[in-house]
Amino acid sequence: MRLPLPARLALALAVPAALLAGGAVQGLAATGAGGGAPAAVGNPLQHRWAGPADPASGRVPDAASYRDPALCGDALVLAAPAPGERAVCVHLDVAPPGVDVREPVSTRELQARVGAGPRAVAAANALGVPTATQVGAGSTVTCDGDGAAGYRVQAVYAVEAGRTNRYAALLPSMRTWAAGVDDVVSRSAALTGGTRAFRWVHAPASSGCEASVLNVTVPAGSTASFGGLMTALRAQGLDDPTRKYLVWTDASVLCGVATMYDDERAGQDNPNNGYAAQYARVDTACWGQDGGHSVEAHELVHTIGGVQDGAPNSTLAGHCNDEADTMCYPDGGSRSVMRQVCEPASEYLLDCRSDDYFSTAPVAGSYLDTHWNAADSRWLLGGGDGSGGGSEGVPTRLGARLTVNGPAVPGLPTQAGVALQLPEGRTATVTWGVADAGCRLGSATGEQTTVTCPAATTATTSVTAVVRDSAGSTVTVAAPLAFAASPRRQVDVVPLVGGSSTAYEGCTGAAVPVGGRVVDRATGAPVLGLTVEALRATTGAPVLAASVLTGTEGTATRDLALSGTSTWTARTRAAGPYDAATGAGRVAVTTGTCTAALTLEADRATAWYGAPLVLSGRLTRTVDGAETGVGGQSVGIWAQSGSAAAKLLVSGRTAADGTYRIATRATVTGTLTARLAGSAGYRPASSEPVPVTAQLPTSVLTASADRLSVRYRQPVALRGTLTRDAAGTTAPLAGATVLVQVTKAGTTTPLTVATGRTAADGSYAVTALPTYGGALQVRYAGTAATPAATQALGTLAVADYGTVLAAAADTTSVRHRQPVVVSGTLQRDDGGTLGPLAGATVAVQVVRTGTTSPLTLGSARVAADGSWSATVAPTAGGALRASYAGAGGQPAAVRPLGELQVAPYGSALTAAAGRSAAAYGQPVPVSGTLLRTDGAVAAPLGGATVLVQVLRPGTTVPVTLATARTASTGSFAVQVPARYSGALQAHYAGTAGQLGDTQPLGQLTVS
């Protein structure tokens, strides 16, 4: 049996019946197709789960299922359940963690299972819906009429022929589990203020309204697949379209599976609401589970249409992805990544945010308000037509629906309104907006407003309303505003000068608003966005003086400086549906020099210095005996204190009615006067003087230092507060600069050693690193509004550290430039506590005999542990010492190391001449060696210069005849020209640290 299907859904599948009987159906709970034929039955099955089939959890591939995204999205298609019916989509529910559906479950264990009732009641209590514990402990379902008529859930116990029938033993448990399903539904409905319960086939009320459970035996093999079971049940007449069949299947194949049509149309003709019989199957491993969500409730909710693929949080395979929720879990759909957005207790109830598939009070304009809502099912008390003990519920979330009257006429106002859906006890505010920046709102707030767009507007725009309720929730709704291609419209335009449409007497050169006002002739309403042209005529034809767009009041004016006598008219340009128009009226204008009167008032006569001071007044002139405001004029406020000349304090401009309001601050004690400077249009004017007094508050500075005796650059922590005291009213002076100062002994000028800035509460904390002592104070320099303040803290003593220099030389007697290693330590002494002076420089010096100035031989940098070492090569002896020059707060130190002896090396020169007599100019060969001697040790002295000289008779100064440079072996050889007779010698003059030597070579006779 089946009910008629709407035409667009009435497509049946001609599929061999054998396909319905074989294999277990792959996939999770059914998500039915919206219409159209499926792909060929022979299509290969492509399962969306990651990994292979898992029989233990109920994931078993089924050749009778196939994929067709056009029918079932990410779910699997099950061929037509019965001839002539449309296909449905199926997807297996996996077993809870730790449950193997293949394992038989004993009768005793099943009888111990209490079902979903207690968990649903506890969850409702946790989520703020008080529920008595006994509600979840019964075995009766909600009574409804005679228990048989109408749309109802028929509970079934099914077992294959040849297997043990446990119906009698488990009937009380199945009735308790059915009642638990009702608890899940009723507590879920209560979350949105409504009442819902499944309509069960049940015993009469006089018998307690316990669910009717049919005892059905099906042929052997029928429970091996979902399709096979449905075929067997239909064969026994269980195919009533007014029934949803919840089948407790005494088998160990699946966990749970159900049929559902993938059709999200709102309304009672949804195919999930009575098109054909629908089935929910639960196998023994998952009966009455109370450790997680109710499998029975899960599968039955599928049969009433949850969850559709179009739901905001759909997995696209029949479930939701916004945990925790009875219908949410990762089912392999393309959007099955879970998000934990609701409290864990929601796992035992339906639709944790009431926005995907079940709500008794859907938010206005939301998905469930405009699409299929399982809470509207005929199978629920309160669903369908709302009868049978149900209620519409109450809003639990803020909602709104916006309407705009349209199409609109551009340039004229159209109505917009928002209907609010408020949870009980809340209030809301509405803020309006319009996408087209040229459009104007009649009111920016409130539930009703008008929208007016410029006359030339043609493009559709969007009107938005942002609704905020007193609980902090926000909803934004929008609606399009279109414009009709309306017939041509006429307007009337009236010229305006200074607000008059007939005559105006003005002041020469004064700015006057000139333009016109435009109204729609058919409605009398002002027109927005039309161009008004103001024309001026003196002696000839009118000329264009200004072109201005009208505002929402239909008025368009521009300030123009007028002089002389003129006549003004106005016209409009065509725009949008509006024809051009020329006004019939004229405004006669005359100008001259005017006398004006000026007033001044201060909002207070006495104020604290820097406090806000509001000055106001009015500039007027008398026209035809009436006082008229003068707009657009500059008014200066002049201040005078004592005998000092008055000075301009601030200025402002008068409004169209002649008033002005100037915000300034109190900075003067004396009088204030408003002045209008003379001009071609106005004679000078002044107000009466207004006395004012600017009082100075007292600056209160507190300060303390954590200590007044420190070593050089040791930190001193200073703390305090800076406040402003105005006649007993104190306030922190935030962001002010405070100075930490020291006045050295014998001086009068304090020196700043640190600065700080006050926090929002007026407190400050400054750390100073002083390098000298004296009188310590904290000072605030003050401003024009707050006087200076100083807080003395006593005398600050700053002492130098001690310096401890230790040194030793490895020798004090060396040859010229022989190395001397000097090493030691340099430490800082802080009252007996020593510490390394890392990074300091120690010099190794010698004070030569007969001098007082030290000669630095070398230096070393002090290591992290205070040690240092320097190697020097002295060239002269004297008093050896180590020296530290000192630094700020660290005195210099010298460590004597004794007398340093530096001896030169000796020289040994040997030489011989090749002849003792020679003719003039004849070469005489001379050769030899030069050695460096260090005691008994001799070594060649290479690279030295040896002179060959002759001492002529009767003289004392030898004459150098030739020079030679010693080789690396110390040897030398040279040819000496014979020029003079006398004593011949070889001579080495020596160098620094190297003694000289002379070797006689005998007499040389030159002929």
Side-chain angles (χ1 to χ4, degrees), residues 289-301:
Q289 287 282 351
D290 61 350
H293 67 250
S294 166
V295 177
E296 291 91 345
H298 181 107
E299 305 307 340
L300 273 179
V301 169

Side-chain angles (χ1 to χ4, degrees), residues 716-863:
V716 178
L718 301 104
R719 297 178 180 276
T721 59
L722 180 61
T723 56
R724 176 181 183 271
D725 187 344
T729 300
T730 61
L733 277 175
T737 298
V738 292
L739 310 175
V740 179
Q741 298 178 321
V742 174
T743 304
K744 292 182 179 180
T747 68
T748 58
T749 303
L751 302 175
T752 299
V753 297
T755 63
R757 189 169 293 275
T758 57
D761 62 355
S763 64
Y764 65 88
V766 185
T767 298
L769 302 173
T771 59
Y772 45 81
L776 181 65
Q777 66 180 26
V778 176
R779 177 171 173 76
Y780 166 59
T783 65
T786 52
T790 302
Q791 180 64 52
L793 296 173
T795 300
L796 175 66
V798 179
D800 287 343
Y801 292 94
T803 303
V804 180
L805 175 61
D810 65 341
T811 180
T812 57
S813 179
V814 293
R815 293 285 186 180
H816 182 84
R817 296 192 66 83
Q818 273 190 335
V820 177
V821 178
V822 183
S823 58
T825 58
L826 181 63
Q827 295 178 297
R828 167 179 285 169
D829 185 352
D830 184 4
T833 300
L834 299 180
L837 269 174
T841 299
V842 176
V844 178
Q845 301 173 326
V846 63
V847 182
R848 294 194 293 184
T849 304
T851 68
T852 57
S853 298
L855 175 66
T856 298
L857 303 178
S859 63
R861 189 165 298 274
V862 179

Side-chain angles (χ1 to χ4, degrees), residues 229-253:
L229 177 64
M230 288 193 294
T231 299
L233 294 175
R234 287 176 177 274
Q236 298 195 38
L238 300 182
D239 61 350
D240 186 345
T242 67
R243 295 291 185 262
K244 311 277 188 192
Y245 294 98
L246 173 60
V247 186
W248 280 291
T249 307
D250 203 343
S252 300
V253 178

Side-chain angles (χ1 to χ4, degrees), residues 216-227:
V216 176
T217 300
V218 296
S222 299
T223 63
S225 72
F226 187 31

